[in-house]
Amino acid sequence: MQVQEQIAIVTGGASGLGEATARALAAAGARVAVLDRQLDKAKAVAADIGGLALECDICDTTSVTAALDAIRAQWGGDARILMNVAGIGTAKRVIGRDGEPAPLEDFERVIRVNLVGSYNMTRLFAARCAKLPALEDGARGVILYTASVAAFDGQVGQQAYSASKGGLVGMTLPMARDLAQHGIRVCTVAPGLFATPLMQELPEPVQQSLAASIPFPSRLGKPSEFADLAVHIVHNDHLNGEVIRLDGALRMSPR
């Protein structure tokens, strides 16, 4: 599917991988809605790319519906492209140093945002996308999920994060099969270690050590490399139901 003139939604589009994806889509000619809970940052990105900034909680149906309505009002139609990039991370051992079990609320929160939120965004987007006129080969839309290598190589303390990202990996094929009848493709990218704002908050020696663990190229991934793959998935109509690791052949150690 061509990106030019299509309406695209990027969740978590105010920073990091989401921001890079929003910018890449806009550069390819899409009209981009930048959804994020950090509205000020979303506005800054949207202003740069001529897009639309919307505050949105992907876990809240009312919030997502309001965002989709705002997109329709702004551009006179519904989006064909959904990039699910929003997510949170945490690391907590099951048994803490004090011998107490980890709070269940922490696990539930990560699952709710990363997995349930992505599903919520998908179901509400897909219901509208399925009603759009079909394009070449009956195509109507494309959905991307952002997993992580932690879905496969989760480290100590990453139970919640790995489970949430593993859920996205497991949901990819059945979602693609489910939405095939509507001409909507679904793929997932599982990035490794990337130079996101969160990563860049770590001390430089720590960043260098992490980069050295990547076989080749031995550097942190660039957000633009994630964005390039996301845009390619939209363009390549035969990519469907697939999970793609983007990690420089990295396999995470237990710690």
Side-chain angles (χ1 to χ4, degrees):
M1 188 173 75
Q2 293 301 309
V3 173
Q4 184 77 27
E5 295 302 321
Q6 301 297 351
I7 299 172
I9 297 170
V10 182
T11 71
S15 63
L17 302 181
E19 177 183 351
T21 302
R23 292 183 182 278
L25 287 166
R31 291 170 286 178
V32 182
V34 181
L35 274 57
D36 207 289
R37 298 190 69 175
Q38 302 181 81
L39 184 57
D40 288 344
K41 290 185 177 181
K43 285 181 176 179
V45 175
D48 279 350
I49 65 175
L52 175 65
L54 296 166
E55 185 173 6
C56 183
D57 178 355
I58 61 173
C59 299
D60 183 82
T61 296
T62 300
S63 180
V64 173
T65 300
L68 296 175
D69 287 344
I71 292 167
R72 180 183 288 172
Q74 176 75 13
W75 287 311
D78 292 312
R80 291 187 185 270
I81 300 167
L82 171 61
M83 300 288 175
N84 288 295
V85 189
I88 60 174
T90 185
K92 188 162 291 189
R93 289 177 179 265
V94 178
I95 303 171
R97 291 183 178 179
D98 57 3
E100 294 298 314
L104 181 60
E105 294 78 11
D106 290 351
F107 185 92
E108 290 176 329
R109 178 170 173 266
V110 175
I111 297 295
R112 178 162 178 76
V113 173
N114 293 356
L115 181 57
V116 178
S118 294
Y119 177 84
N120 189 44
M121 193 75 216
T122 295
R123 71 184 186 93
L124 296 170
F125 162 86
R128 299 188 185 212
C129 185
K131 297 173 184 176
L132 293 171
L135 304 174
E136 185 179 357
D137 290 332
R140 287 190 173 85
V142 181
I143 297 168
L144 178 136
Y145 293 122
T146 305
S148 166
V149 295
F152 312 99
D153 312 328
Q155 296 182 300
V156 168
Q158 283 191 323
Q159 287 86 350
Y161 186 70
S162 294
S164 69
K165 297 302 187 177
L168 294 174
V169 168
M171 188 164 67
T172 303
L173 181 59
M175 187 67 78
R177 288 172 165 173
D178 195 324
L179 295 178
Q181 63 183 312
H182 302 292
I184 301 172
R185 293 186 290 113
V186 182
C187 282
T188 294
V189 176
L193 300 174
F194 272 70
T196 61
L198 185 62
M199 177 69 73
Q200 290 170 337
E201 289 178 4
L202 296 175
E204 184 63 30
V206 175
Q207 292 185 49
Q208 292 176 0
S209 174
L210 291 171
S213 69
I214 301 171
F216 186 80
S218 294
R219 59 164 173 79
L220 299 176
K222 302 173 184 177
S224 62
E225 291 170 324
F226 176 93
D228 288 344
L229 178 55
V231 172
H232 177 75
I233 288 170
V234 177
H235 282 305
N236 192 326
D237 290 332
H238 217 59
L239 270 174
N240 193 18
E242 189 59 74
V243 178
I244 305 169
R245 289 184 67 134
L246 186 65
D247 59 17
L250 172 70
R251 296 298 181 267
M252 299 290 284
S253 62
R255 291 179 176 80

